[in-house]
Amino acid sequence: MQINITQFLSDHGLPLLFIAVFVDQMGLPLPAIPWLLAVGALSATGVFNPFVAILLTVVACLVAESFWYFLGRYRGNRVLKFLCRISLEPDSCVRQTQHLFTRYGLRSFLVSKFLPGFLSTVAPALAGVSKMSVRRFLVYDGIGSLLYGASFVLLGYCFSSQIRQITDALASVGWKALGLVALLLGAYIGAKYWQRHRLLRELRMARITVSDLHRKQEAGEALTILDLRSNVAMEEDPAIIPGSVHATLEDIKRGNHKLSPGQEVIVYCSCPNEETAARVALLLQRSGFKNVRPLLGGIDAWRENKYPVVVTATLRPGSSLKITETQAPGPRSAEAGTKPAVGELDRSDLPK
């Protein structure tokens, strides 16, 4: 049985476009680009007004992304943890968006919707977490939404004949075409979840508990502790475990550190399953480090056990990291009134 895709889109195209864009920007793995191209192609035949289609796209983006913005503004880093849990690419999407947002700031909104993955969903939440003003968020997100909608609607408008040939071919196949599309979508989601499972399995390794770390510090053992949260997360929550040094995954990848393979290294973050910490631990192990472990539960578990934290200055993006191994705070140093640190930064790295 044949189905008239063109007639179906002509009758319901604009409402479906709004729903598709809204669902896509909310973070569900249902791409809106095919709907944008199809509506653009029908606009070339006079079925729709392309400017109305672009306006609907902008409104749908603003409604969905304002939801994540205000959620991030009032719920903080808990929103990022939630997005990390539901993402098909755990941790990496949030980390990449944090890196993009830290490096380019508001300009990241102009390109985030064009990049694959979860970026367009995480970016508004990050804007809220960083307490960006509502006006600036709406202006830049509106411009990014306008570029996104206009680009694909006009692309469909310019290539309307080619898109019409594709829809005619799908219509000739009938309902089997819809089944094929559903099968491909299911295969894509299944492949992503399999990659997620493989990643989590690869990152399984021995972890150190917060109580064991605290006992080591009290005993004065030599440790190097790395806080691997992003700069955005550190601005939101600058408290760190005493004696630790802030670094990023990019710092470690670039070799921007002075770590010795003989040191005992503890790494922690605030993401589910300690994924960033486990990535860094795996990276260091492959580089010859024998005694490196993620902290089970990260800084959240440290706080839940009522262990002390200190507030420290964060590194500027691109600054160099220098770490030297010293003694962790022990009972003797506490009695003497000293406050030794496990890691130290170059003075040039500190904000002026």
Side-chain angles (χ1 to χ4, degrees):
M1 182 180 69
Q2 289 190 353
I3 54 176
N4 194 331
I5 297 178
T6 302
Q7 187 60 48
F8 178 78
L9 291 175
S10 299
D11 294 339
H12 310 287
L14 292 181
L16 287 175
L17 174 66
F18 181 90
I19 294 172
V21 173
F22 176 80
V23 168
D24 186 20
Q25 298 307 306
M26 285 298 292
L28 295 179
L30 299 173
I33 292 177
W35 297 98
L36 290 166
L37 294 174
V39 169
L42 289 174
S43 298
T45 64
V47 176
F48 300 125
N49 185 327
F51 296 105
V52 173
I54 294 171
L55 178 61
L56 282 175
T57 301
V58 172
V59 173
C61 288
L62 288 175
V63 171
E65 292 169 4
S66 294
F67 170 82
W68 289 116
Y69 167 80
F70 285 106
L71 207 59
R73 188 178 181 89
Y74 294 108
R75 303 295 290 180
N77 282 320
R78 284 173 289 185
V79 177
L80 299 181
K81 295 176 187 177
F82 171 75
L83 291 174
C84 191
R85 286 190 181 97
I86 66 174
S87 170
L88 292 178
E89 298 177 353
D91 176 59
S92 62
C93 64
V94 177
R95 176 171 42 82
Q96 290 168 3
T97 309
Q98 288 175 331
H99 177 69
L100 182 71
F101 192 77
T102 301
R103 184 172 182 180
Y104 298 106
L106 291 169
R107 291 174 294 172
S108 62
F109 282 102
L110 305 180
V111 299
S112 61
K113 295 177 182 61
F114 294 94
L115 300 176
F118 220 45
L119 300 182
S120 61
T121 302
V122 178
L126 276 175
V129 170
S130 63
K131 298 299 188 289
M132 179 188 295
S133 70
V134 177
R135 182 181 62 83
R136 296 180 72 192
F137 165 73
L138 291 176
V139 168
Y140 278 87
D141 192 47
I143 294 173
S145 301
L146 179 61
L147 292 174
Y148 170 71
S151 297
F152 288 107
V153 170
L154 294 179
L155 189 65
Y157 189 98
C158 295
F159 293 93
S160 59
S161 60
Q162 290 83 354
I163 295 175
R164 180 63 181 268
Q165 292 175 4
I166 295 174
T167 57
D168 290 343
L170 291 174
S172 64
V173 178
W175 291 103
K176 293 180 181 179
L178 295 179
L180 178 61
V181 171
L183 180 63
L184 292 175
L185 180 61
Y188 169 78
I189 296 175
K192 286 297 182 181
Y193 271 110
W194 178 79
Q195 290 176 3
R196 177 189 179 105
H197 176 73
R198 187 182 64 177
L199 172 64
L200 293 177
R201 184 176 56 189
E202 183 182 33
L203 295 180
R204 286 175 187 164
M205 60 179 64
R207 284 159 163 76
I208 183 173
T209 64
V210 293
S211 57
D212 287 339
L213 174 59
H214 188 256
R215 280 196 296 269
K216 284 178 175 288
Q217 287 186 320
E218 290 295 312
E221 295 186 25
L223 300 169
T224 296
I225 310 174
L226 299 182
D227 185 313
L228 300 171
R229 292 174 292 167
S230 69
N231 289 318
V232 173
M234 289 292 292
E235 289 175 4
E236 166 71 11
D237 178 17
I240 64 173
I241 294 175
S244 62
V245 174
H246 177 231
T248 65
L249 180 58
E250 286 69 31
D251 289 325
I252 305 300
K253 284 183 176 179
R254 291 194 299 262
N256 194 14
H257 58 75
K258 301 292 183 180
L259 292 171
S260 169
Q263 295 175 261
E264 181 176 3
V265 181
I266 309 298
V267 291
Y268 71 88
C269 58
S270 59
C271 51
N273 303 310
E274 304 87 47
E275 288 170 15
T276 296
R279 283 176 183 271
V280 169
L282 188 63
L283 181 64
L284 290 174
Q285 285 178 356
R286 290 172 176 172
S287 300
F289 287 80
K290 302 300 183 182
N291 195 2
V292 52
R293 288 180 290 174
L295 180 64
L296 182 64
I299 192 168
D300 294 330
W302 182 270
R303 282 199 180 98
E304 289 172 2
N305 282 268
K306 309 299 183 183
Y307 294 138
V309 295
V310 295
V311 177
T312 185
T314 59
L315 290 174
R316 296 193 308 269
S319 60
S320 60
L321 174 69
K322 179 184 178 182
I323 299 173
T324 58
E325 183 179 359
T326 61
Q327 293 294 316
R332 183 175 300 176
S333 63
E335 293 173 2
T338 60
K339 189 178 181 180
V342 174
E344 64 181 35
L345 299 175
D346 287 333
R347 288 295 178 185
S348 60
D349 292 333
L350 295 175
K352 304 297 182 185

